[in-house]
């Protein structure tokens, strides 16, 4: 039997779940199809830095109770270079705005519970295979318990990430792709170690960037710049901790606390945007429409921003018969997407020091020192950094 809903949402990540929650709040019937089990998506460690506007939005929607109680507010970060700490108090510079550190899987857990409580339909272990008919009433073909089924919606929202079915269903000649594969990758490490810092650390080292990110009082995330395509098996626990100690070292008595490594993997550093983000009645949101490197932590926030804009466009269509906002969805969001891409690529170049491969390292390092001085100072460039970083 074929299923039907006003909006079929493919993927229960931050984008799909925020969209589903807003639509359910306003009585728009929707169906979310998710490839994995509930246990899987509620445990999968991903991003963890939520921007000020998104926290406010989630609070207004009643989705932030646990985030506000258990998440940690952050409004400063540190750039380490040549053993010196340089602190950006970006929250103060951006008029009191701040990030919240709250793991993505926890937000997913909260949004799944809220959506189901509202009576929303969500089918786990139901991967979409293909989507067609976007220019009329789109149809999603999906698998469930070994059976091929279909779901029809007036609109389909493709929120199923970069490797999902939505992006793959769009004819290649309907999309203009903008892509940049960065030369180096990041080894991402998750460890059961308490944070050794109260603020995120970006360490710029001659042997490559190292990052110390925050997740919870008992778990921390670290990054180490490494050759693209490096294998995580090349990184023993000893090598990871000694490399982090070396690259994060300061000239004062700061020390790094270690702990058992829970997870490690090499991230492919890709920046990708597909234009447009809407194809008739198929709209793409989040990683299905764009990929950012982790520099600047913009990925999850953009996914939430897409979902919010798409939800408002759909509410205008379903409640007021007004299509203007939905028709402008792609244009509106691509502006935000490219703003985030520009910031993330700029920050990555600063962290890697590879803005121009022809630049001799000592020269490039003097430029980096100058840039860090400016963004951690109190002038116009520091304020611009603060605005872009906090979102
Ligand atoms: N059918 C149904 N669901 C699918 C399919 C499919 N064919 N393919 C993928 N999915 C599901 C995934 O299992 C996942 O739960 O879609 C969801 C997509 O979620 P995310 O990958 O988290 O993407 P998005 O909601 O756009 O959020 C982007 O996630 O990867 C991070 O850094 C990224 O923080 C950013 C955020």
């Amino acid at each position: 039997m074929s299923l039907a809903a006003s909006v079929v949402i493919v993927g229960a990540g931050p984008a799909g779940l925020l969209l589903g929650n807003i639509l359910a709040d306003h009585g728009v019937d929707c169906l979310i199809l998710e490839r994995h089990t509930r246990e899987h998506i509620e445990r999968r460690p991903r991003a963890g830095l939520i921007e000020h506007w998104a926290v406010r939005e989630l609070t207004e929607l009643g989705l932030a109770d646990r985030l506000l109680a258990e998440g940690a507010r952050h409004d400063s970060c540190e750039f380490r270079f040549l053993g010196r700490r340089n602190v950006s108090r970006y929250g103060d510079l951006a008029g009191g705005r701040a990030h919240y550190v709250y793991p993505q899987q926890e937000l997913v857990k909260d949004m799944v519970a809220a959506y189901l409580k509202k009576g929303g339909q969500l089918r786990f272990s139901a991967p979409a295979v293909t989507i067609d008919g976007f220019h009329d009433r789109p149809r999603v073909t999906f698998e469930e318990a070994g059976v091929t089924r279909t779901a029809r919606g007036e609109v389909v929202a493709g929120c199923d990430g970069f490797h999902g079915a939505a992006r793959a269903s769009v004819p290649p000649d309907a999309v203009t792709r903008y892509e940049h594969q960065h030369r180096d990758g990041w080894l991402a490490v998750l460890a059961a170690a308490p944070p050794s810092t109260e603020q995120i650390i970006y360490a710029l080292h001659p042997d490559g960037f190292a990052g110390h990110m925050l997740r919870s009082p008992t778990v921390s995330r670290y990054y180490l710049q490494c050759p693209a395509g490096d294998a995580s098996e090349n990184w023993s626990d000893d090598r990871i901790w000694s490399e982090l100690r070396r690259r994060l070292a300061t000239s004062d008595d700061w020390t790094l606390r270690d702990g058992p490594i829970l997870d490690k993997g090499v991230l492919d550093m890709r920046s990708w945007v597909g234009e447009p983000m809407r194809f008739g009645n198929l709209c793409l949101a989040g990683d299905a429409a764009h990929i950012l490197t982790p520099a600047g932590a913009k990925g999850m926030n953009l996914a939430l921003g897409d979902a919010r804009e798409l939800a408002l466009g759909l509410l205008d269509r379903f409640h007021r018969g007004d299509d203007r906002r939905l028709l402008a969805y792609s244009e509106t969001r691509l502006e935000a997407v490219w703003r985030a891409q520009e910031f993330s690529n700029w920050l990555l170049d600063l962290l890697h020091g590879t803005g121009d491969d022809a630049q001799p390292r000592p020269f490039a390092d003097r430029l980096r020192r100058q840039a860090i001085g400016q963004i951690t100072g109190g002038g116009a460039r520091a304020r611009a950094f603060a605005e872009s970083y906090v979102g």
Side-chain angles (χ1 to χ4, degrees):
M1 194 190 64
S2 177
L3 302 173
S6 297
V7 181
V8 177
I9 300 171
V10 183
L17 289 165
L18 181 62
L19 177 61
N21 270 285
I22 301 176
L23 294 179
D25 282 344
H26 291 84
V28 174
D29 75 303
C30 43
L31 163 66
I32 304 183
L33 300 172
E34 165 57 46
R35 170 193 291 277
H36 290 291
T37 62
R38 182 170 181 177
E39 294 68 34
H40 180 90
I41 64 165
E42 292 184 349
R43 283 206 198 123
R44 184 174 45 186
R46 307 286 282 273
L49 203 59
I50 308 182
E51 292 179 357
H52 181 84
W53 72 268
V55 173
R56 191 188 56 213
E57 188 70 26
L58 292 164
T59 306
E60 280 169 13
L61 292 165
L63 295 170
D65 292 355
R66 217 157 60 85
L67 185 163
L68 294 173
E70 296 173 22
R73 191 176 182 279
H74 280 275
D75 60 3
S76 64
C77 66
E78 193 177 316
F79 289 89
R80 290 191 177 173
F81 190 48
L82 305 172
R84 279 193 51 181
R85 301 147 172 269
N86 306 268
V87 176
S88 162
R89 307 218 175 275
Y90 63 82
D92 290 346
L93 291 167
R97 285 181 269 163
H99 284 114
Y100 265 79
V101 173
Y102 191 60
Q104 180 171 320
Q105 68 272 23
E106 299 301 324
L107 182 63
V108 162
K109 200 185 285 176
D110 298 344
M111 291 203 289
V112 166
Y115 177 77
L116 293 175
K117 205 167 157 200
K118 293 167 195 170
Q121 302 182 67
L122 204 174
R123 301 176 95 100
F124 293 104
S125 305
V129 182
T130 185
I131 303 162
D132 56 32
F134 332 140
H135 293 288
D136 183 24
R137 260 195 106 212
R139 183 179 62 168
V140 181
T141 305
F142 68 101
E143 305 278 341
E144 195 172 44
V147 178
T148 303
R149 309 190 61 182
T150 57
R152 276 197 184 272
E154 286 176 46
V155 173
V156 170
C159 305
D160 51 347
F162 193 66
H163 301 288
R167 204 174 71 91
S169 298
V170 175
D173 58 4
V175 193
T176 308
R177 297 168 191 76
Y178 297 91
E179 184 165 21
H180 177 46
Q181 183 69 46
H182 298 269
R183 200 187 56 185
D184 288 345
W186 285 4
L187 177 76
V189 177
L190 197 70
S196 306
T197 172
E198 287 180 349
Q199 57 208 359
I200 285 176
I201 304 170
Y202 297 102
L204 288 59
H205 189 276
D207 294 339
F209 160 71
H212 183 336
M213 312 290 148
L214 301 149
R215 285 295 179 270
S216 77
T218 51
V219 173
S220 301
R221 155 87 73 210
Y222 311 87
Y223 292 120
L224 284 163
Q225 182 181 345
C226 62
D230 200 355
S232 57
E233 297 77 55
N234 294 337
W235 290 85
S236 66
D237 293 9
D238 280 351
R239 183 176 174 209
I240 289 172
W241 291 115
S242 71
E243 202 59 20
L244 282 170
R245 282 208 171 84
R246 215 160 60 77
R247 297 192 197 178
L248 288 163
T250 59
S251 43
D252 56 26
D253 57 359
W254 181 83
T255 53
L256 179 67
R257 282 186 279 181
D258 58 21
I261 288 178
L262 304 173
D263 189 35
K264 62 181 174 186
V266 175
L267 302 179
D268 189 27
M269 287 290 174
R270 184 194 287 135
S271 304
W272 192 96
V273 180
E275 293 188 8
M277 291 170 61
R278 187 181 65 83
F279 306 86
N281 288 321
L282 170 68
C283 298
L284 303 185
D287 280 10
H290 37 73
I291 288 288
L292 282 87
T293 75
K298 296 286 172 193
M300 174 170 47
N301 293 291
L302 269 187
L304 295 171
D306 290 351
R308 177 181 181 275
E309 184 58 31
L310 184 52
L312 296 176
L314 289 167
L315 292 179
D316 273 1
R317 168 185 280 197
F318 290 122
H319 289 335
R320 284 178 279 283
D322 180 351
D323 254 357
R324 282 173 300 178
R325 192 159 188 164
L326 192 58
L327 295 179
Y329 166 71
S330 180
E331 206 181 320
T332 306
R333 289 311 296 163
L334 283 169
E335 179 59 31
V337 169
W338 281 112
R339 210 180 315 127
Q341 284 287 15
E342 194 279 328
F343 179 75
S344 176
N345 277 269
W346 165 81
L347 184 57
L348 192 71
D349 281 350
L350 177 73
L351 300 179
H352 285 188
T354 52
D356 175 353
D357 284 343
Q359 238 168 39
R361 171 65 75 182
F363 187 86
D365 278 352
R366 276 291 193 268
L367 296 183
R368 294 212 283 176
R369 191 172 78 175
Q370 181 56 224
I372 291 170
Q374 289 192 25
I375 59 180
T376 58
R381 184 137 179 225
R383 285 195 298 280
F385 168 78
E387 288 284 337
S388 300
Y389 189 49
V390 80

